[in-house]
Amino acid sequence: MRIAAVEAVPLTAALQETFRFGTTDRTTSPNVVVVVRTDEGHEGYGEACPVPAFTGETQSSIVDLVEGRVAPVLIGADPLARSPLLHALAGTARFAPFTAAAVDTALLDLAGRILGVPAHALLGGAFRDRVEVHGSVGWQEDPADMARTAARQAATYRTLKVYAGRGELSADLDRLAAVRAAAGPGTGLFADVNGMWAPGDLPRVLPRLKEIGITLLEQPLPPAAAAFQRDLVASHGIGVVADEAVRTAADAAQVAASRSASVVNVGHSKLGGPTAAFHAAGVAAAHGLGVMVGSVIEMGIATAMGLHLAAALPRLACPCYLMGPLKYRERITTEQIEVIDGHVAVPAGPGLGVTVDERRLHALDARRRG
Ligand SMILES: [Mg+2]
């Protein structure tokens, strides 16, 4: 059996409402679905969800890279030779993690479908059949808007991640306090700052964060300043997650060496795919760090991948960020994820265990929409 075709489908996907995190405001998402087909009629799907603040990748650069440089390597190859294929593609996609993630996911889905096993089995097997997820409250100027979102989500999730880091510091903290008041004392709260605070801000913010009941702080400082996080955060008993600081498995070792975080976010999109994310998780765990599976709010394909990855990790330090499809207006998979008791089930069935709806994919095809 050989790989016969590789396609990249650019989507015009709209979010339910404008989602603001870090420096990004997203109303639509320029995702790309990668399809790898064999000469025997098997297919595997991957999804790229580029974030301009993270890399220079765009929807058209992803399509060009997949069709112009990835496809010639894959076509004619054995679809089960995943590691050799990823090795052959390493140079092509080194600085294009979102592209690499979609290709890796498509190959994993394809191999799972050919072998009749779920994707998590190809990562060594599942430790769980459902994954606890957290909701998220995007940044908004008006604290009352964030409070409303938080109150709505607190009915579904046990833990919420709240975005901070924009604007004036004390106003930012007031927004977090408004979220706490709306979510109630029983809801766990994380804050994700996307590296937008400065070292000098920490002595000011940490006592207030403690008072508000933030238990986990994600990437408070830019990666280059992350060493400043160590003592201050530990002294206030707030866990720290490294996100933007971890783009490779080697970065996870660096976090351990600098003791700049207690947990590593191993979202597979930013790490260049589930294979690299699984390695990064192994490196983090080998150094005694916790891991959690993050995301960049992807649709059904990449989110299913995240659920398989989370299933295959021995320990998760906290709830994962794997409810992205619920933030979109449209779906691309027949199955919709459902949050029950704060958990999402790991999809069952071969490969990613989700059925891509070709009709919906066609309807969202950006080339068709011109
Ligand atoms: Mg983050």
Side-chain angles (χ1 to χ4, degrees):
M1 191 190 310
R2 297 284 149 189
I3 292 173
V6 178
E7 190 190 355
V9 183
L11 303 184
T12 303
L15 296 169
Q16 302 269 11
E17 52 194 43
T18 303
F19 189 60
R20 297 180 179 85
F21 63 98
T23 54
T24 303
D25 288 2
R26 256 169 51 188
T27 304
T28 59
S29 192
N31 300 20
V32 178
V33 170
V34 172
V35 194
V36 180
R37 296 188 171 87
T38 71
D39 54 6
E40 295 186 14
H42 296 280
E43 44 196 19
Y45 292 89
E47 176 192 344
C49 182
V51 179
F54 277 29
T55 73
E57 292 166 279
T58 63
Q59 188 172 57
S60 53
S61 83
I62 293 168
V63 172
D64 287 352
L65 204 51
V66 170
E67 296 192 340
R69 293 188 62 193
V70 173
V73 174
L74 297 187
I75 289 171
D78 174 359
L80 296 180
R82 288 179 44 243
S83 290
L85 287 173
L86 294 178
H87 186 76
L89 289 170
T92 303
R94 179 169 295 136
F95 299 110
F98 296 103
T99 310
V103 173
D104 188 15
T105 299
L107 290 173
L108 197 60
D109 185 34
L110 179 63
R113 286 169 194 270
I114 292 169
L115 298 169
V117 299
H120 61 66
L122 297 172
L123 296 172
F127 286 87
R128 56 192 68 78
D129 59 10
R130 61 179 199 155
V131 177
E132 185 170 5
V133 300
H134 62 72
S136 70
V137 180
W139 188 92
Q140 298 193 71
E141 178 78 46
D142 185 349
D145 290 335
M146 290 180 68
R148 251 191 309 279
T149 306
R152 206 170 54 228
Q153 294 210 23
T156 306
Y157 304 96
R158 296 172 185 171
T159 301
L160 301 179
K161 160 151 120 173
V162 190
Y163 286 92
R166 283 197 201 190
E168 204 273 320
L169 200 57
S170 62
D172 228 12
L173 294 167
D174 291 344
R175 289 184 190 94
L176 293 174
V179 165
R180 164 58 73 204
T187 301
L189 287 187
F190 302 165
D192 190 348
V193 187
N194 296 106
M196 292 167 72
W197 284 342
D201 295 333
L202 289 181
R204 273 178 69 199
V205 300
L206 289 173
R208 187 89 193 277
L209 292 179
K210 185 86 176 157
E211 188 187 303
I212 295 167
I214 302 291
T215 54
L216 208 56
L217 191 55
E218 188 163 319
Q219 200 69 53
L221 303 181
F228 287 92
Q229 292 166 182
R230 182 171 75 179
D231 300 333
L232 283 168
V233 176
S235 68
H236 285 81
I238 296 173
V240 184
V241 182
D243 185 8
E244 281 83 348
V246 180
R247 309 291 287 272
T248 66
D251 291 340
Q254 179 57 34
V255 167
S258 63
R259 292 164 57 201
S260 58
S262 44
V263 176
V264 170
N265 178 326
V266 294
H268 63 91
S269 287
K270 64 150 188 181
L271 277 157
T275 304
F278 192 73
H279 289 157
V283 169
H287 287 84
L289 299 175
V291 298
M292 57 102 75
V293 179
S295 75
V296 287
I297 298 293
E298 301 99 339
M299 299 182 87
I301 297 171
T303 301
M305 185 66 258
L307 289 164
H308 283 272
L309 173 64
L313 296 175
R315 294 173 72 183
L316 296 168
C318 57
C320 294
Y321 200 14
L322 295 170
M323 32 50 85
L326 299 177
K327 298 241 188 224
Y328 284 83
R329 281 197 195 157
E330 301 97 353
R331 300 175 199 175
I332 52 173
T333 57
T334 306
E335 303 82 0
Q336 174 69 314
I337 64 164
E338 198 181 349
V339 182
I340 299 170
D341 294 334
H343 291 70
V344 173
V346 179
L352 296 177
V354 292
T355 313
V356 173
D357 186 329
E358 287 285 349
R359 192 180 48 84
R360 285 184 181 140
L361 211 56
H362 183 68
L364 295 176
D365 191 327
R367 296 166 300 189
R368 205 179 132 265
R369 293 183 165 195

